[in-house]
Amino acid sequence: MFPRPRIAIALVVILAAISAPILASVYLAWHQSLSSQKAQGLTYSHDVLRRVDETAQQFATAKREMDHAHLAPCSPQDLAMLRQIALGSSYLQAVARASRNSVLCDSQGVTTPASLGPPSLISAHHVAEYFNIKLSPRQWRPLDVFVAGQTAAVVDPSLAIDVATEGPDIELTVFVPSAPDRTRIASLGGNFRANWFQTIPPGSENTVLENGYIVTQARSAKWDLAVVSAIPEHYVYLHVFHFALIFTPIGVLCGILLAWAVNYIAQHRSSFPTTVRRAVRNREFFVEYQPIVELQSRRIVGAEALVRWKTPLATIPPDHFIPLAEERGLMHLITGQVLAMVASDLPRILALDPSFEVAINMSSSDLKSGQTIERLDHLLAATGAQPRNIGIEATERAYLHDRETAQLIGVLRSKGFRVAIDDFGTGYSSLACLQSLSLDTLKIDKAFVDTIDTDGATSQVVHHIIEMARSLQLELVAEGVETEAQAQFLALRGVRYAQGWLFGKPRPIAGLLNEIERRSNIDAPVSVLA
């Protein structure tokens, strides 16, 4: 038999495990209901403010057209223009000519002057506003008249607040922020509190919970107008029950299945595809740039964008995750993020050197997907770069697929993108393959560069690669150059470009920009990877 204290503790833990998710669910239901009503208040305010802004804009447009027409007030031509403006204005009941607190004539053909009396207020934009005006006995309810110069607009204030609300006790009002008493132009309801009409900056909005109401204020960015909506707090409680029906069973289920869920999530998150997708979503991949230099001048003419992966726990080497990502069909996600980062950095690079070329590595799946063309076109459009500023690189295996790859390479080259074969000599390329693909650049793998001036069995391979590239009229870039002797050897044999630690390790964009500026002072002719 268990000791009584242990039984008591076990019961407390069980009750806590059951009640904690339920209490959390009730709190979540309350929070969700409150957020829902706040969002609803913003919807009401924005809807009314949109109508008010449109009304003010139509009035401003009417005034501009009438001022530019230079017609004799109330002449036949003027009345015709007033009718045309009114017909094209969805929120203006009528357009009129005004002078000295009187309406002289309007778009409905009335030419008998009607006195407006003194204005109810004059707004910050010098618009005289007259409320509850009847211009003729035929008018069945009072309207508002707004006058600026000789232009008057007749507005039905109820149109602005004619929005569908959840209940009859929801308050809506339009007021003038510059007026000392915050004069209300239109209102739905009458239970307004003075502290609801606080002045906020133009174009801003504010939501508070006070006096038993969710009060939302939105102010026009352009006009001297603002809107207040007030939703009684009891609407929150009405919706709590609705959300509780959803969240409480979920909370109970979470308590019952907690152990299983933890185990499942642990297994799920440990899977490589899920980890990569989460890394893309969390922007754990980043780009470093390794400079490509012209061997003769040592001027930086380009850089290879190298993807890196830094998790919260460690940095994963590219040779660990890239092959696995290619195998699982995930490289398009990583390539997309690389292109986005290059698009962010490229304008700053081109501002220093408009002829600069950034080389981007592509996988075999990228070279078979039409989305690659769309992504590159978007990159050019977003950065203002030219195709000559972007190089496409892929390993030998990526080119040994089918006609789709060859066709896509053809499209890329026709658009002006340069295409290179990376790490040449480590895969399965043949001379026939190079001829059929019509590439632009061949990159000599570091493994062969390391054999320069050595007695290794592969020390003569570099000579053969150089001769083969020359016969195919391919540009050469040597990778992994680490010593001056290697650089001199390659330069003497006609290799024009190189990259490696001798010229700089991969570095973030800030380091690349600094290096471009530093090396741009070298007196050398401008050259690109062409």
Side-chain angles (χ1 to χ4, degrees):
M1 180 178 291
F2 290 102
R4 289 181 181 273
R6 292 189 178 183
I7 294 175
I9 294 173
L11 288 175
V12 170
V13 172
I14 292 172
L15 288 175
I18 295 174
S19 61
I22 296 175
L23 292 175
S25 299
V26 172
Y27 171 77
L28 186 59
W30 159 260
H31 182 75
Q32 186 66 30
S33 180
L34 180 61
S35 298
S36 175
Q37 291 305 305
K38 286 182 177 181
Q40 188 63 62
L42 283 172
T43 299
Y44 292 149
S45 296
H46 288 165
D47 194 6
V48 174
L49 188 61
R50 177 187 60 78
R51 297 168 183 237
V52 169
D53 276 345
E54 182 63 24
T55 302
Q57 184 60 52
Q58 290 180 6
F59 176 44
T61 301
K63 182 179 185 306
R64 183 169 60 252
E65 292 182 12
M66 293 167 65
D67 290 346
H68 289 173
H70 300 296
L71 298 175
C74 300
S75 64
Q77 296 85 354
D78 192 42
L79 292 174
M81 181 186 64
L82 295 182
R83 284 192 296 271
Q84 183 178 3
I85 293 174
L87 288 173
S89 303
S90 55
Y91 287 105
L92 304 184
Q93 301 297 301
V95 182
R97 288 287 185 181
S99 177
R100 298 181 180 179
N101 294 334
S102 295
V103 171
L104 305 180
C105 57
D106 62 32
S107 56
Q108 297 178 358
V110 177
T111 57
T112 302
S115 175
L116 299 172
S120 303
L121 65 90
I122 297 178
S123 73
H125 293 88
H126 308 293
V127 175
E129 303 182 7
Y130 305 81
F131 303 136
N132 300 317
I133 300 296
K134 276 196 171 186
L135 296 176
S136 69
R138 295 179 299 171
Q139 187 176 315
W140 67 281
R141 66 175 176 178
L143 300 173
D144 294 345
V145 180
F146 300 88
V147 177
Q150 292 185 326
T151 301
V154 181
V155 176
D156 184 351
S158 65
L159 292 179
I161 56 174
D162 185 21
V163 298
T165 59
E166 189 174 359
D169 52 351
I170 291 175
E171 314 280 340
L172 291 171
T173 187
V174 181
F175 70 97
V176 180
S178 67
D181 59 351
R182 308 293 192 266
T183 304
R184 283 174 248 165
I185 297 176
S187 295
L188 178 67
N191 192 25
F192 295 98
R193 315 290 174 85
N195 59 347
W196 293 356
F197 299 90
Q198 301 297 324
T199 300
I200 61 176
S204 64
E205 58 191 32
N206 184 46
T207 300
V208 295
L209 180 62
E210 61 178 39
N211 301 327
Y213 284 84
I214 300 170
V215 182
T216 301
Q217 184 181 151
R219 183 170 178 180
S220 173
K222 187 175 181 182
W223 311 105
D224 189 16
L225 296 165
V227 176
V228 166
S229 69
I231 302 175
E233 192 175 0
H234 69 79
Y235 282 94
V236 177
Y237 296 103
L238 289 176
H239 288 274
V240 165
F241 179 73
H242 169 74
F243 285 109
L245 290 176
I246 299 173
F247 291 119
T248 302
I250 295 175
V252 174
L253 185 63
C254 287
I256 296 173
L257 302 178
L258 182 60
W260 177 86
V262 170
N263 181 63
Y264 173 79
I265 292 172
Q267 291 181 355
H268 182 67
R269 289 196 171 184
S270 66
S271 67
F272 183 76
T274 301
T275 303
V276 169
R277 290 187 176 91
R278 186 172 66 249
V280 171
R281 185 171 60 252
N282 295 338
R283 298 188 176 277
E284 294 177 2
F285 293 103
F286 64 97
V287 166
E288 289 185 335
Y289 296 91
Q290 182 165 39
I292 300 174
V293 304
E294 185 183 55
L295 282 172
Q296 293 294 338
S297 65
R298 303 300 170 92
R299 177 177 176 270
I300 297 180
V301 295
E304 182 178 357
L306 301 171
V307 65
R308 301 289 187 257
W309 185 2
K310 183 175 179 60
T311 71
L313 299 177
T315 298
I316 303 175
D319 56 345
H320 286 191
F321 69 85
I322 288 181
L324 192 55
E326 290 182 341
E327 178 185 332
R328 300 293 181 88
L330 301 169
M331 275 305 299
H332 67 284
L333 299 175
I334 300 175
T335 301
Q337 192 153 95
V338 169
L339 289 172
M341 290 183 285
V342 171
S344 176
D345 297 337
L346 195 55
R348 288 183 286 171
I349 297 175
L350 297 183
L352 296 176
D353 184 358
S355 65
F356 202 87
E357 177 182 298
V358 175
I360 300 172
N361 290 283
M362 295 283 179
S363 67
S364 58
S365 59
D366 292 326
L367 293 179
K368 295 177 64 177
S369 171
Q371 188 182 26
T372 298
I373 302 294
E374 298 175 4
R375 284 175 162 180
L376 291 172
D377 287 342
H378 177 74
L379 172 64
L380 298 182
T383 61
Q386 300 298 317
R388 68 173 183 272
N389 298 123
I390 304 297
I392 306 302
E393 294 186 8
T395 59
E396 297 177 55
R397 286 180 296 176
Y399 294 114
L400 299 177
H401 271 275
D402 48 35
R403 288 185 301 174
E404 290 178 281
T405 301
Q407 290 172 354
L408 191 140
I409 291 173
V411 173
L412 289 174
R413 297 186 74 241
S414 68
K415 285 177 169 286
F417 296 100
R418 296 182 52 76
V419 181
I421 185 167
D422 196 12
D423 299 336
F424 183 79
T426 61
Y428 312 97
S429 292
S430 66
L431 184 61
C433 176
L434 293 178
Q435 289 175 320
S436 63
L437 287 173
S438 300
L439 303 174
D440 299 291
T441 304
L442 187 152
K443 301 189 74 172
I444 306 173
D445 186 71
K446 180 182 185 301
F448 300 112
V449 174
D450 287 342
T451 65
I452 292 175
D453 286 341
T454 69
D455 296 326
T458 58
S459 60
Q460 298 301 312
V461 173
V462 173
H463 296 275
H464 298 306
I465 293 176
I466 293 172
E467 290 302 320
M468 181 175 61
R470 183 175 294 133
S471 66
L472 294 174
Q473 297 182 334
L474 295 176
E475 193 62 73
L476 276 170
V477 178
E479 296 180 292
V481 178
E482 297 181 356
T483 67
E484 187 61 36
Q486 292 172 345
Q488 293 293 337
F489 175 93
L490 294 165
L492 288 173
R493 283 155 182 79
V495 178
R496 191 174 179 187
Y497 303 105
Q499 63 186 95
W501 285 13
L502 177 65
F503 312 112
K505 297 180 180 180
R507 76 271 319 267
I509 180 61
L512 176 66
L513 295 174
N514 291 336
E515 188 68 8
I516 294 173
E517 287 186 318
R518 186 181 73 82
R519 289 182 179 256
S520 65
N521 296 324
I522 299 175
D523 185 16
V526 175
S527 59
V528 296
L529 299 181

